[in-house]
């Protein structure tokens, strides 16, 4: 399957939200951040990577899309604890038992789960963890659900559906964090252009999606241009322990 994020623009880094503080602290829980080495697998433009680095962790950012890695380059000069690696979850190129935690933020669904479980078991030290993180628009709210349908954001992740891991890992345990993102209609329009469905679409399909989104935001919901829109999210952090 062709990786659509090879086509990602700077919009991805600009309008995709980061992660709430409580979720980042959960990822680092149990140790001093400066003592942790973390593999951020499918790191994208570095949304989570930058949060981990800011708290003092060492991060190996694994990202196969050049367009995404390019947007992380500005972090390199700021954080000597960062390495950016052109690889994917099934074969990271990292050494055996070289990281304390492996984190997948908005990326687990792009992986082969069984092959990735094996690779993570190889690179994560005994006593380490695998963590799967999702920022999810709260589709239990009707207007938000319709918004996601228009944006064709098929990555709807539910708290009652834990990721399926191999027996190399314990049954994942969930922590959930509810929060809100303050944005604007224009930024939501731009957010729609960062979805994999949009990147894969034809020119006509892209125009249709943006036209539908424009109608929904301005005419149906009645948001004024450049007004503040409160987007409700929740973040799911699934944590599993490495089997010995």
């Amino acid at each position: 399957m062709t990786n659509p994020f090879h086509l990602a623009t700077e919009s991805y880094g600009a309008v995709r939200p980061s992660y709430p503080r409580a979720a980042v602290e959960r990822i680092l829980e149990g140790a001093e951040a400066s003592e942790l080495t973390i593999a951020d697998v499918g790191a994208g433009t570095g949304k989570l990577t930058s949060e981990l680095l800011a708290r003092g962790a060492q991060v190996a950012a694994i990202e196969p899309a050049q367009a995404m890695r390019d947007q992380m380059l500005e972090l390199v000069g700021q954080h000597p604890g960062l390495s950016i690696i052109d690889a994917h979850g099934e074969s990271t190129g990292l050494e055996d038992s070289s990281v304390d935690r492996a984190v997948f933020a908005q990326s687990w669904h792009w992986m082969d789960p069984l092959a990735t479980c094996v690779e993570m078991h190889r690179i994560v030290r005994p006593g380490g963890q695998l963590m799967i993180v999702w920022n999810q628009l709260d589709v239990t709210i009707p207007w938000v659900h319709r918004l996601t349908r228009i944006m064709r954001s098929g990555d709807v992740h539910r708290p009652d559906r834990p990721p399926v891991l191999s027996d190399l890992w314990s049954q994942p345990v969930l922590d959930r964090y509810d929060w809100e993102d303050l944005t604007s209609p224009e930024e939501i329009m731009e957010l729609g252009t960062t979805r994999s469905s949009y990147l894969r679409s034809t020119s006509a399909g892209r125009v249709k999606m943006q036209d539908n989104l424009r109608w929904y935001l301005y005419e149906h919901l009645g948001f004024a241009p450049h007004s503040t829109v409160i987007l409700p999210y929740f973040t799911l952090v699934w944590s599993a322990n490495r089997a010995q």
Side-chain angles (χ1 to χ4, degrees):
M1 179 174 58
T2 301
N3 185 341
F5 296 111
H6 285 294
L7 304 173
T9 68
E10 292 184 359
S11 291
Y12 193 102
V15 299
R16 286 272 185 133
S18 188
Y19 297 88
R21 175 180 295 180
V24 178
E25 291 175 351
R26 174 65 189 89
I27 293 168
L28 298 169
E29 190 175 286
E32 291 293 330
S34 60
E35 298 174 355
L36 291 174
T37 299
I38 300 175
D40 184 3
V41 187
T45 61
K47 290 286 187 180
L48 180 60
T49 289
S50 62
E51 296 287 347
L52 298 172
L53 290 168
R55 288 161 174 81
Q58 305 283 308
V59 180
I62 311 296
E63 175 52 54
Q66 181 71 52
M68 296 291 212
R69 294 196 306 275
D70 286 347
Q71 294 183 58
M72 274 193 284
L73 291 177
E74 66 180 38
L75 295 173
V76 175
Q78 305 168 27
H79 299 282
L82 170 64
S83 55
I84 301 174
I85 301 168
D86 178 5
H88 48 82
E90 297 86 349
S91 179
T92 63
L94 296 178
E95 295 182 2
D96 292 357
S97 300
S98 58
V99 301
D100 300 292
R101 288 165 199 179
V103 184
F104 295 77
Q106 310 299 118
S107 62
W108 181 256
H109 58 306
W110 294 108
M111 311 294 163
D112 177 307
L114 295 182
T116 302
C117 281
V118 171
E119 175 68 355
M120 295 305 106
H121 190 267
R122 183 185 71 77
I123 69 171
V124 173
R125 298 181 180 112
Q129 291 184 306
L130 185 159
M131 309 180 95
I132 297 170
V133 182
W134 302 113
N135 270 347
Q136 172 63 60
L137 283 163
D138 190 348
V139 295
T140 63
I141 300 170
W143 78 265
V144 178
H145 183 251
R146 188 170 182 184
L147 176 70
T148 64
R149 296 295 296 272
I150 293 170
M151 288 196 293
R152 297 192 292 279
S153 51
D155 51 337
V156 176
H157 307 290
R158 291 172 41 174
D160 61 343
R161 292 184 180 176
V164 177
L165 307 179
S166 75
D167 58 8
L168 295 172
W169 298 91
S170 68
Q171 182 67 20
V173 174
L174 175 64
D175 291 279
R176 171 175 170 158
Y177 306 93
D178 292 84
W179 56 285
E180 296 174 334
D181 187 35
L182 300 183
T183 184
S184 68
E186 293 75 19
E187 288 172 329
I188 295 174
M189 294 282 295
E190 192 174 355
L191 179 65
T193 70
T194 72
R195 302 297 186 182
S196 60
S197 57
Y198 179 91
L199 295 173
R200 286 196 178 108
S201 189
T202 63
S203 295
R206 292 180 178 188
V207 169
K208 181 178 179 180
M209 187 272 271
Q210 287 283 286
D211 285 346
N212 289 341
L213 199 51
R214 187 176 295 106
W215 168 83
Y216 186 60
L217 291 167
Y218 294 112
E219 297 185 40
H220 185 74
L221 294 177
F223 289 118
H226 309 293
S227 61
T228 298
V229 180
I230 301 174
L231 269 185
Y233 279 87
F234 56 79
T235 298
L236 307 178
V237 180
W238 294 97
S239 305
N241 296 322
R242 183 189 188 276
Q244 300 301 317

